Amino acid sequence: MHHCPYCGTKVLDNEIYCVECGEKLPGDMQERQKKKKSFNNYWYIPMSVLLLLVLASGLYYIFMQHQSTKAAKLYQKAETYAMEGNYTKANDTLQKSLNNAHNFQQAKDALHFTEKAKSIQKNMEQASDLLDKKKFQQALALINEAEDSLTNYNGEAVTKLIDKLTKNRNRLKLAQLKHKLNQDPNIDDLKVLLWEADEIQSDEADKIMTSIRNQIVDYTFSKASEQLNDHQFSDALLIVEDGLKYAPDSKKLHSLKTTIDKEKTAFETAQRQRMEQAINSAEQERKLNENDAIELVTVQAKRDKQGKVTVQGKVKSAATIPVNSILVEYSLLTDDKTRVTNKVYVYPDTLYPDETGQFSFTHYEIDQKTDDLTINVDRIKWYTDQQQ
């Protein structure tokens, strides 16, 4: 097979010119058999295409880099707006950022946040309107709902927005607290309001807490003092301990608690002593009523006009209770010798404390010639209601 010695294209024997490169073919067929290496003049076509592709890719990369850089700068600018709380400008700037880089995920996330933040700003404005109308619970519900909607967001701008929501909540709670305090709350209401004030992080709330604690302390001190004055020590102590739950550092209440403890101890000691004294007195009284209840006031033995010996006397009750059936036992003596012994009952039968009774008995058997009679009361017996 013959070839063009210039371009190597296959040629026929009768062809004079090469149909490919147009060169005149040699007449010697031997020369046509040799495939002459020649430079292909069309090599530049694919090379040019490749070069264009590389150039286009480079230009596109440069363009995309420029767009990404521009988008990043806009994103940073939007972040600044968001940090300042200007969410409308932040939102517009993020839109521009995404126009330059459609797949910029951070910008998409930030855009969602700014849209949410704009909605939250409206919530805060509505809450302020509700506050003016003293609709505290509705206003607080809006703030809480707004904060809950930020659960899936994070970052410094989110933190600042949450801080702003917290300040608004505290402002609402503080206004609500002041409103309740103006309604003349009772002591139980004050205790609840104290915990509500404790949840508010502000200097003004701290001042209100101090005021409420002072009111609770004063009320507790007064009520506990009343119970203390009535010697109701347990009730007084319970009142003070309840007050200390709300004012644990109150020196006034701690001092009163110490006083209650001391007064309780002193009262119980005095009461015990009184009981002991009462028991002793009762015992002494019992002994008195049993052993020394009747005092002999007077007694004498004398003869009447008929010469009969009459014994007469008086006794007095030294007892603390009624005494009855008082029996006087006596002896009549002559020259220190007992002539006769006898018993006689006092009348009236019952003597009350400090009352006087009498007794009298006439002896008919004694010799009328006996003049030197003397009388000796040997014993006095009686009964009390306790003995009977």
Side-chain angles (χ1 to χ4, degrees):
M1 181 173 290
H2 299 151
H3 298 81
C4 173
Y6 303 106
C7 68
T9 303
K10 293 178 182 180
V11 295
L12 298 176
D13 293 344
N14 58 353
E15 288 180 334
I16 298 175
Y17 294 94
C18 178
V19 294
E20 183 67 28
C21 63
E23 293 291 334
K24 187 177 180 179
L25 298 172
D28 187 354
M29 294 300 171
Q30 291 291 332
E31 291 184 11
R32 291 188 184 188
Q33 289 179 352
K34 295 180 180 179
K35 189 176 180 180
K36 183 177 179 182
K37 291 183 181 180
S38 61
F39 185 75
N40 188 350
N41 293 325
Y42 298 101
W43 63 272
Y44 62 88
I45 296 175
M47 291 296 292
S48 298
V49 172
L50 179 61
L51 183 61
L52 287 173
L53 288 174
V54 171
L55 181 60
S57 297
L59 291 173
Y60 179 76
Y61 176 77
I62 292 171
F63 173 77
M64 293 304 296
Q65 283 292 101
H66 173 73
Q67 292 295 95
S68 296
T69 301
K70 188 176 180 180
K73 288 181 178 180
L74 289 169
Y75 175 80
Q76 291 176 355
K77 192 174 182 180
E79 274 190 326
T80 302
Y81 286 137
M83 291 292 292
E84 294 172 352
N86 194 338
Y87 302 110
T88 300
K89 281 190 175 181
N91 188 277
D92 294 341
T93 307
L94 286 168
Q95 290 282 8
K96 293 177 182 178
S97 176
L98 285 170
N99 289 339
N100 286 279
H102 301 291
N103 296 322
F104 194 177
Q105 190 60 44
Q106 281 182 291
K108 289 181 179 180
D109 295 339
L111 184 64
H112 291 154
F113 166 71
T114 55
E115 289 172 351
K116 178 66 67 177
K118 286 168 65 178
S119 175
I120 288 174
Q121 276 189 324
K122 291 181 180 179
N123 283 0
M124 287 191 286
E125 291 172 1
Q126 291 176 12
S128 294
D129 293 338
L130 290 170
L131 174 60
D132 294 337
K133 299 175 183 178
K134 300 189 184 306
K135 296 181 178 180
F136 304 106
Q137 291 303 118
Q138 294 180 34
L140 286 169
L142 281 174
I143 297 299
N144 292 334
E145 180 184 345
E147 186 171 353
D148 290 341
S149 67
L150 293 174
T151 304
N152 297 324
Y153 296 93
N154 53 56
E156 192 173 351
V158 179
T159 301
K160 283 201 169 188
L161 181 56
I162 291 175
D163 289 342
K164 188 180 292 185
L165 286 169
T166 300
K167 289 179 180 178
N168 271 270
R169 182 188 295 107
N170 288 340
R171 182 169 64 91
L172 289 170
K173 286 186 174 181
L174 189 60
Q176 184 182 34
L177 180 63
K178 290 179 178 179
H179 177 72
K180 290 179 179 179
L181 286 172
N182 290 331
Q183 306 305 308
D184 193 22
N186 58 34
I187 189 64
D188 292 327
D189 293 333
L190 283 175
K191 292 174 181 178
V192 174
L193 293 177
L194 180 65
W195 300 130
E196 291 183 6
D198 190 38
E199 294 177 355
I200 304 172
Q201 304 298 322
S202 73
D203 293 338
E204 190 171 1
D206 291 341
K207 292 179 181 178
I208 292 176
M209 283 181 65
T210 300
S211 175
I212 294 175
R213 279 201 176 97
N214 289 337
Q215 293 181 61
I216 292 175
V217 167
D218 291 342
Y219 177 88
T220 302
F221 189 89
S222 298
K223 291 300 178 181
S225 295
E226 290 176 3
Q227 296 299 319
L228 176 59
N229 293 335
D230 292 336
H231 304 301
Q232 301 298 320
F233 303 106
S234 296
D235 291 340
L237 196 59
L238 286 174
I239 293 172
V240 171
E241 287 177 346
D242 182 68
L244 285 171
K245 292 177 184 177
Y246 304 94
D249 299 325
S250 173
K251 294 181 180 179
K252 189 175 183 179
L253 293 185
H254 280 292
S255 176
L256 181 59
K257 184 178 180 181
T258 302
T259 300
I260 292 171
D261 290 335
K262 289 181 178 179
E263 286 296 311
K264 180 182 179 182
T265 301
F267 179 81
E268 290 174 347
T269 301
Q271 193 174 42
R272 186 170 58 253
Q273 290 174 348
R274 285 193 297 270
M275 290 179 66
E276 291 174 354
Q277 289 173 359
I279 292 172
N280 292 335
S281 297
E283 180 63 20
Q284 291 173 1
E285 185 177 313
R286 185 188 66 79
K287 290 180 179 179
L288 171 66
N289 294 333
E290 289 183 1
N291 304 320
D292 301 304
I294 300 299
E295 297 177 355
L296 181 64
V297 179
T298 61
V299 64
Q300 60 180 347
K302 62 181 182 179
R303 291 184 184 273
D304 59 12
K305 293 179 181 181
Q306 288 78 28
K308 299 178 184 70
V309 177
T310 301
V311 175
Q312 294 179 337
K314 291 182 179 180
V315 295
K316 182 179 180 180
S317 173
T320 59
I321 57 176
V323 179
N324 51 64
S325 302
I326 304 167
L327 182 64
V328 179
E329 298 179 3
Y330 61 90
S331 301
L332 292 175
L333 301 91
T334 302
D335 298 330
D336 294 331
K337 291 181 179 179
T338 301
R339 290 287 306 275
V340 64
T341 61
N342 191 37
K343 300 177 181 179
V344 60
Y345 282 99
V346 173
Y347 62 89
D349 179 71
T350 301
L351 293 182
Y352 290 90
D354 295 326
E355 283 188 346
T356 301
Q358 301 179 17
F359 59 91
S360 177
F361 190 87
T362 301
H363 291 270
Y364 294 93
E365 75 282 4
I366 299 178
D367 189 353
Q368 295 182 7
K369 297 180 180 180
T370 305
D371 294 328
D372 55 345
L373 285 173
T374 59
I375 186 170
N376 183 45
V377 175
D378 300 319
R379 184 179 181 189
I380 301 176
K381 294 172 62 179
W382 60 87
Y383 293 98
T384 64
D385 291 339
Q386 293 175 342
Q387 294 171 320
Q388 290 179 336

